């Protein structure tokens, strides 16, 4: 590290302080405001700020369960792709109500009419031939109306083969730009992709239309023609392009019509309303308080343990927090309660890179280097562990963001944001601050501290004890799930979001606030139903309250109606109940699982390539699986609610586990290069040394993370506490597996499957031939 000039150091510190104060004021104004958008308030999810609720009803006969599931999933994807760009929401909920209704809940918006206009009425889409087999027109242009109109009914067209295909045969429709072959100018077009069945039908229809002097095929949606393009070629591969758009907005609208027309069922709007927050302002204020106290505790811990470098890390952490809040606002990212908990968690994890750097600096000072040289070496030697740990987490975030939906996608956004900002503050801001303070004379080695000589702890010798503890814990979870199933309960306590339930709409004789609903109405409902996982929503500017519970039978519904009448004077005709499906559909769950599996595979590949040792990669992934299973055990034993927060919790544990393990593996790789002979004894010493040298870092990071989570556990509302407890267990488990499971697994694999390449190849490239170990001298082949 080069010594910065004193003048430069002063300028850097003054600029940093000015930015810190300005961003602090800006961030506080965002958090303090209770308005929306223009009032500099963060865009909050349905649970914190309410939003729009739209209910659709299926047109025609009662649909099959399969059609309802398909339609719900497609509608969810439609909302994410079309509305997501405008509302920046990833947390919309779509679920079934009764036998033939679908409810859409979109957070962070207050204009139901605007959303309905943007979303469109999910009607039927048809591609229609211009002429029938006798040459009669199926549709024609009506000059008096200025549009194309049908000359026959849809039923008649289906009978005479006038319908080429419908929306269910369209795989995708996207607005884009394409270069005109004649003018070479870019023009807006709509690209359409069809499934196999649609491809065949479209090939025949376009061949026929093309042969008839470039005849047209009309696109008919929601009782009107939205486009009537001329066929300029026979399209046989199922990929068509519609051109002739006046602007890109027209192309986007047409693509939107085609996508929404691809729903399996025809829907009509039944009602739309603006609903209030589910949890009220108290949830938000307590979360902010938890974040503030957690930050203060982290500052105190860092300063006590790392002295002056801990103070520098605290300054960088304040900037990190301010940047998080500012970016959430500037990019209009919708924030839900699990998202807030995840960001508070990331505050604890953000100190990890600083802890790695400071631990390295202390080691360099212990070895006799000057302060300036120690700081330079500390940053340099910590770089690989920081980059590897954060890149694996970013890989997971990228896969989850691309493949995931709903909560998973929202989690991926906040995870990626937190990782990028933590690397920026640790590798750039902390370094600049340290150089600046050194340049102005803050260079007393005593306030930077020196690492004590590490005492080798014999973790490897106790590996079978650690394995037994882990297997016993996981076995307890499996037994608990089996026992729950045997007693007629579900293996896990699935919430409304996973298993569905009953929605009871009550029209009270006065308007209740969210806080009054929580304090007065919810306890009455919980006593009657025996359900502690109750969700409530109030309709804005009205007396209606929607109460969502587990599925209630007829007797329980009657008991609930009587309790509401006795306690609040509500008449039975003012109460209506309907069963609702899970807000996290089966397709969304399976998509989330696939996303996690793909993310784990990519992390495995990265670790394998980066460390060039499949044993290290395998050990990290096994430790990750161990942490997930132990966390599941806590859910099974304590019957914690399994909902959207559960998904976020498991994903957080996965990211934390891999990051923690890689830091130890990075030290293992570094120490391995100093080995002269590779055998059981040297490998055991190597593994024990690597764990011992990184033990203080692992514990420090776990403590800072645990501090913020504990604040959530103490101060948070009930739903936050249900998220915080298993997360605390997961973090503790991640630390345990990194220290007591992952490296021990690598040691066993290395001893029993020594192999060639990997770390051995790296060592062999650095050693002289005379230092090569052989089987004859008791070593494993290098």
């Amino acid at each position: 590290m080069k010594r910065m000039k004193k003048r430069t150091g002063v300028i850097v510190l003054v600029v940093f302080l000015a930015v810190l104060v300005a961003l602090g004021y800006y961030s506080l104004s965002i958090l303090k405001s209770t308005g929306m958008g223009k009032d500099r308030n963060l865009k909050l999810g349905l649970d914190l700020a309410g939003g729009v609720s739209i209910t659709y009803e299926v047109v025609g006969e009662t649909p099959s369960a399969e059609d309802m599931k398909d339609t719900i999933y497609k509608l969810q994807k439609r909302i994410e792709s079309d509305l997501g760009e405008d509302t920046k929401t990833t947390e919309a909920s779509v679920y079934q109500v009764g036998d033939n209704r679908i409810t859409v809940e979109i957070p962070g918006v207050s204009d139901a009419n605007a959303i309905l206009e943007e979303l469109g009425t999910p009607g039927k889409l048809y591609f229609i031939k211009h002429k029938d087999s006798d040459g009669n027109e199926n549709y024609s242009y009506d000059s008096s109306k200025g549009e194309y109109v049908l000359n026959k009914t849809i039923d008649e067209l289906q009978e005479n083969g006038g319908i080429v295909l419908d929306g269910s045969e369209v795989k995708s429709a996207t607005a884009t730009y394409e270069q005109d072959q004649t003018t070479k100018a870019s023009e807006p077009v709509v690209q359409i992709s069809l499934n196999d069945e649609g491809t065949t039908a479209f090939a025949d229809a376009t061949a026929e239309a093309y042969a008839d002097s470039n005849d047209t095929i009309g696109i008919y949606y929601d009782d009107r023609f939205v486009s009537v393009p001329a066929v300029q070629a026979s399209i046989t591969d199922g990929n068509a392009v519609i051109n002739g758009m006046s602007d890109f907005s027209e192309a986007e609208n047409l693509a939107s019509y085609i996508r929404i027309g691809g729903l399996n069922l025809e829907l009509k709007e039944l009602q739309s309303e603006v609903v209030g927050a589910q949890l009220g302002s108290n949830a938000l204020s307590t979360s902010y308080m938890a974040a503030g106290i957690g930050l203060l505790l982290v500052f105190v811990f860092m300063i006590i343990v790392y002295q002056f470098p801990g103070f520098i890390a605290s300054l960088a952490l304040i900037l990190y927090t301010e940047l998080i809040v500012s970016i959430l606002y500037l990019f209009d990212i919708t924030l839900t309660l699990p998202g807030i908990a995840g960001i508070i968690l990331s505050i604890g994890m953000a100190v990890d890179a600083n802890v790695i750097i400071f631990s390295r600096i202390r080691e360099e000072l212990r070895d006799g280097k000057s302060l300036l040289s120690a700081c330079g070496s500390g940053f340099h030697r910590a770089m690989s562990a920081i980059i590897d740990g954060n890149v694996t987490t970013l890989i997971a975030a990228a896969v989850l963001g691309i493949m995931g939906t709903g909560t998973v996608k929202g989690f991926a956004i906040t995870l990626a944001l937190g990782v990028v900002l933590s690397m920026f503050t640790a590798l750039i801001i902390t370094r600049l601050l340290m150089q600046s303070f050194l340049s102005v004379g803050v260079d007393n080695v005593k306030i930077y501290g020196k690492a004590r000589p590490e005492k080798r702890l014999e973790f490897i010798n106790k590996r079978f004890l650690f394995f037994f503890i882990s297997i016993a814990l996981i076995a307890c979870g499996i037994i608990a799930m089996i026992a729950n199933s045997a007693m007629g309960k579900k293996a896990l306590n699935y919430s409304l979001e996973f298993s569905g339930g009953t929605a009871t709409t009550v029209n009270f004789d006065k308007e209740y606030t969210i806080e009054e609903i929580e304090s007065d109405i919810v306890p009455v409902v919980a006593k009657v139903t025996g359900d502690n996982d109750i969700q409530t929503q109030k309709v804005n500017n009205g007396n209606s309250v929607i109460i969502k519970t587990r599925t209630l039978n007829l007797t329980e519904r009657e008991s609930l109606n009587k309790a509401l009448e006795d306690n609040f004077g509500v008449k039975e005709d003012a109460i209506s109940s309907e069963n609702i499906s899970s807000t996290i559909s089966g397709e969304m769950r399976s998509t989330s699982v696939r996303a996690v599996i793909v993310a784990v595979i990519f992390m495995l590949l990265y670790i394998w390539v980066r460390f060039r040792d499949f044993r290290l990669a395998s050990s990290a992934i096994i430790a990750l699986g161990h942490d997930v299973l132990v966390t599941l055990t806590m859910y099974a034993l304590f019957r914690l609610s399994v909902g959207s927060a559960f998904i976020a919790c498991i994903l957080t544990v996965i990211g934390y586990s891999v990051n923690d393990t890689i830091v130890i593996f990075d030290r293992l790789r570094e120490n391995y290069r100093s080995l002269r002979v590779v055998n059981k004894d040297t490998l055991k010493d190597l593994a024990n040394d690597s764990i011992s040298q990184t033990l203080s870092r692992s514990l420090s990071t776990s403590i800072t993370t645990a501090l913020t989570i504990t604040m959530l556990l103490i101060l948070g509302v009930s739903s936050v506490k249900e998220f915080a407890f298993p997360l605390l267990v997961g973090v503790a488990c991640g630390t345990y597996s990194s220290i007591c499971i992952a490296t021990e697994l690598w040691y066993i694999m290395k001893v029993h499957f020594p192999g060639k390449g990997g770390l051995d190849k790296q060592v062999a490239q650095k050693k002289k031939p005379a230092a090569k170990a052989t089987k004859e001298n008791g070593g494993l082949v290098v």
Side-chain angles (χ1 to χ4, degrees):
M1 181 182 286
K2 295 182 180 180
R3 181 176 289 277
M4 185 182 288
K5 292 181 180 180
K6 184 175 181 179
R7 181 181 177 184
T8 305
V10 172
I11 292 173
V12 169
L13 290 175
V14 171
V15 170
F16 174 80
L17 185 61
V19 170
L20 202 68
V21 172
L23 267 180
Y25 176 80
Y26 182 69
S27 302
L28 286 174
S29 69
I30 293 172
L31 296 176
K32 186 178 180 181
S33 173
T34 56
M36 296 295 293
K38 64 181 181 179
D39 296 319
R40 294 187 177 180
N41 179 250
L42 293 176
K43 181 168 283 187
L44 304 176
L46 200 70
D47 52 359
L48 295 170
V52 168
S53 176
I54 304 168
T55 300
Y56 294 106
E57 189 172 64
V58 176
V59 176
E61 298 178 355
T62 302
S64 67
E66 191 65 28
D67 280 342
M68 287 293 281
K69 287 181 180 179
D70 288 345
T71 302
I72 286 171
Y73 182 64
K74 289 179 181 179
L75 196 53
Q76 175 86 42
K77 298 297 289 183
R78 148 87 169 139
I79 292 167
E80 288 181 7
S81 63
D82 284 6
L83 298 186
E85 288 299 315
D86 296 324
T87 65
K88 300 297 185 296
T89 180
T90 58
E91 302 289 347
S93 296
V94 184
Y95 56 91
Q96 183 175 344
V97 179
D99 296 327
N100 65 342
R101 294 179 184 177
I102 294 174
T103 292
V104 177
E105 294 177 341
I106 303 172
V109 291
S110 56
D111 190 341
N113 291 328
I115 291 297
L116 281 169
E117 184 177 346
E118 181 76 18
L119 187 61
T121 303
K124 271 289 187 181
L125 176 78
Y126 301 101
F127 285 69
I128 301 174
K129 292 181 181 180
H130 184 202
K131 298 174 183 177
D132 61 21
S133 58
D134 297 326
N136 300 316
E137 288 188 325
N138 292 322
Y139 57 83
S140 58
Y141 186 77
D142 187 337
S143 57
S144 63
K145 295 182 178 179
E147 61 183 19
Y148 283 88
V149 294
L150 280 179
N151 297 330
K152 302 170 184 176
T153 66
I154 293 295
D155 290 337
E156 289 173 337
L157 290 171
Q158 288 174 331
E159 289 176 4
N160 69 15
I163 305 294
V164 179
L165 48 87
D166 61 32
S168 65
E169 294 164 302
V170 178
K171 288 169 59 177
S172 65
T174 307
T176 185
Y177 284 98
E178 188 175 85
Q179 190 179 58
D180 185 277
Q181 297 300 316
T182 304
T183 65
K184 303 301 181 183
S186 293
E187 62 173 357
V189 299
V190 175
Q191 293 180 341
I192 300 175
S193 176
L194 307 175
N195 63 16
D196 292 340
E197 186 178 348
T199 298
T200 302
F202 203 60
D204 295 338
T206 54
E208 181 182 329
Y210 181 58
D212 188 13
S213 304
N214 294 56
D215 202 1
T216 59
I217 291 180
I219 302 175
Y220 191 75
Y221 171 78
D222 199 21
D223 297 330
R224 68 186 182 93
F225 282 95
V226 293
S227 181
V228 185
V231 178
Q232 300 173 350
S234 177
I235 301 169
T236 59
D237 62 356
N239 295 304
V241 174
I242 304 174
N243 53 23
M245 309 292 164
S246 60
D247 53 34
F248 191 74
S249 176
E250 184 182 348
E252 282 189 315
N253 288 337
L254 179 56
S256 177
Y257 289 139
I258 295 173
R259 281 197 298 272
I260 195 65
L263 297 178
N264 287 22
L265 303 172
E266 183 179 357
L267 306 176
K268 67 176 181 180
E269 179 200 343
L270 195 64
Q271 65 179 25
S272 61
E273 56 196 11
V274 177
V275 295
Q278 296 172 0
L279 300 173
S281 58
N282 188 49
L284 200 57
S285 60
T286 55
S287 295
Y288 288 162
M289 188 182 299
I293 296 176
L295 271 174
L296 287 175
L297 292 175
V298 170
F299 295 161
V300 171
F301 176 84
M302 290 294 292
I303 293 171
I304 290 175
V305 175
Y306 293 97
Q307 301 176 53
F308 187 71
F311 169 72
I312 294 176
S314 298
L315 293 176
L317 189 57
I318 293 173
L319 179 65
Y320 167 84
T321 306
E322 293 171 352
L323 287 172
I324 282 264
V325 174
S326 301
I327 290 174
L328 285 173
Y329 164 68
L330 290 173
F331 288 91
D332 255 357
I333 298 172
T334 300
L335 192 60
T336 60
L337 205 54
I340 288 176
I343 288 175
I344 293 175
L345 168 68
S346 72
I347 291 172
M349 294 179 67
V351 301
D352 181 50
N354 286 305
V355 168
I356 297 172
I357 292 167
F358 299 155
S359 298
R360 285 292 196 173
I361 291 174
R362 285 185 161 192
E363 291 174 12
E364 299 296 315
L365 289 173
R366 181 193 61 198
D367 294 340
K369 288 190 176 182
S370 67
L371 181 57
L372 188 64
S373 177
C375 289
S377 297
F379 275 94
H380 176 72
R381 298 182 70 182
M383 188 73 70
S384 61
I386 295 171
I387 291 176
D388 287 336
N390 285 285
V391 167
T392 51
T393 308
L394 280 175
I395 288 172
V399 173
L400 295 171
I402 294 169
M403 295 184 61
T405 58
T407 302
V408 175
K409 189 181 288 289
F411 174 83
I413 291 172
T414 54
L415 176 64
L417 177 62
V419 169
V420 170
L421 288 180
S422 67
M423 290 181 67
F424 169 74
T425 53
L427 298 179
I428 296 178
I429 301 302
T430 300
R431 187 185 185 98
L432 273 175
L433 288 176
M434 189 162 285
Q435 286 180 304
S436 301
F437 278 114
L438 287 173
S439 71
V440 298
V442 185
D443 54 3
N444 189 332
V445 176
K446 291 182 179 180
I447 64 174
Y448 287 83
K450 293 182 180 179
R452 297 177 182 177
E454 292 96 359
K455 180 181 179 181
R456 180 186 295 162
L457 302 174
E458 301 296 331
F459 286 97
I460 301 300
N461 292 342
K462 298 180 177 62
R463 60 190 181 278
F464 294 112
L465 173 62
F466 297 144
F467 294 163
F468 173 78
I469 293 172
S470 296
I471 292 171
L473 281 173
I474 294 170
C476 286
I478 295 172
I479 292 170
M481 285 187 273
I482 294 173
N484 289 333
S485 298
M487 291 187 292
K489 304 177 183 178
K490 293 180 180 179
L492 294 172
N493 182 24
Y494 296 108
S495 72
L496 283 165
E497 296 160 312
F498 268 77
S499 61
T502 297
T504 304
T505 302
V506 187
N507 293 313
F508 291 95
D509 57 2
K510 70 170 189 175
E511 184 175 354
Y512 284 88
T513 64
I514 292 295
E515 286 70 23
E516 288 173 334
I517 292 171
E518 285 289 321
S519 61
D520 300 339
I521 299 173
V522 169
V524 173
V525 178
K527 183 178 180 181
V528 174
T529 62
D531 183 7
N532 293 317
D533 181 30
I534 296 170
Q535 297 179 9
T536 60
Q537 288 178 342
K538 67 182 294 290
V539 178
N540 283 6
N541 302 317
N543 299 343
S544 295
V545 175
I546 303 168
I547 303 168
K548 298 176 183 178
T549 63
R550 63 172 176 80
T551 303
L552 305 179
N553 57 37
L554 181 59
T555 303
E556 289 171 328
R557 288 187 184 187
E558 290 175 348
S559 299
L560 178 58
N561 291 350
K562 187 175 187 308
L564 291 171
E565 183 177 357
D566 293 342
N567 288 273
F568 305 102
V570 181
K571 300 299 182 183
E572 192 167 347
D573 58 4
I575 304 172
S576 60
S577 299
E578 290 180 299
N579 285 338
I580 60 175
S581 69
S582 58
T583 57
I584 301 176
S585 66
E587 289 84 355
M588 288 177 64
R589 290 198 293 271
S590 60
T591 300
S592 300
V593 171
R594 285 195 298 270
V596 170
I597 292 172
V598 172
V600 169
I601 291 172
F602 273 98
M603 286 191 289
L604 174 70
L605 292 174
Y606 176 81
I607 298 170
W608 184 12
V609 171
R610 187 72 175 86
F611 287 84
R612 289 184 278 178
D613 191 331
F614 191 74
R615 289 165 294 236
L616 286 173
S618 301
S619 301
I621 298 305
I622 292 172
L624 180 156
H626 161 274
D627 298 340
V628 171
L629 291 174
V630 173
T631 305
L632 277 175
T633 295
M634 294 301 104
Y635 273 94
L637 290 176
F638 293 95
R639 299 295 291 169
L640 300 175
S641 179
V642 176
S644 59
F646 164 79
I647 297 176
C649 175
I650 294 298
L651 294 174
T652 304
V653 170
I654 288 172
Y656 186 88
S657 174
V658 174
N659 185 71
D660 209 29
T661 301
I662 282 180
V663 174
I664 298 177
F665 282 177
D666 182 78
R667 185 62 68 96
L668 184 72
R669 174 177 57 183
E670 181 181 325
N671 291 339
Y672 199 98
R673 294 168 181 162
S674 64
L675 287 182
R676 308 304 294 177
V677 175
V678 181
N679 56 37
K680 288 184 178 180
D681 292 332
T682 57
L683 284 174
K684 184 180 294 185
D685 291 342
L686 167 77
N688 285 326
D689 284 341
S690 299
I691 298 173
S692 301
Q693 289 165 3
T694 55
L695 185 62
S696 62
R697 169 264 157 203
S698 296
L699 294 178
S700 294
T701 301
S702 298
I703 290 171
T704 55
T705 307
L707 285 173
T708 53
I709 300 174
T710 301
M711 289 301 100
L712 285 175
L713 198 58
I714 295 172
L715 299 175
V717 295
S718 59
S719 56
V720 175
K721 291 180 179 179
E722 287 201 353
F723 175 85
F725 175 66
L727 199 55
L728 191 61
V729 172
V731 167
C733 187
T735 306
Y736 170 80
S737 69
S738 300
I739 297 171
C740 304
I741 303 295
T743 310
E744 285 75 4
L745 285 171
W746 172 83
Y747 169 77
I748 292 174
M749 292 182 190
K750 184 65 179 172
V751 169
H752 294 285
F753 308 102
K756 294 182 179 180
L759 294 179
D760 293 324
K761 186 176 181 180
Q762 296 176 48
V763 174
Q765 291 171 348
K766 292 179 176 290
K767 295 184 183 298
K768 298 178 181 179
K772 183 178 179 180
T774 64
K775 291 183 179 179
E776 286 72 21
N777 66 21
L780 303 171
V781 176
V782 174

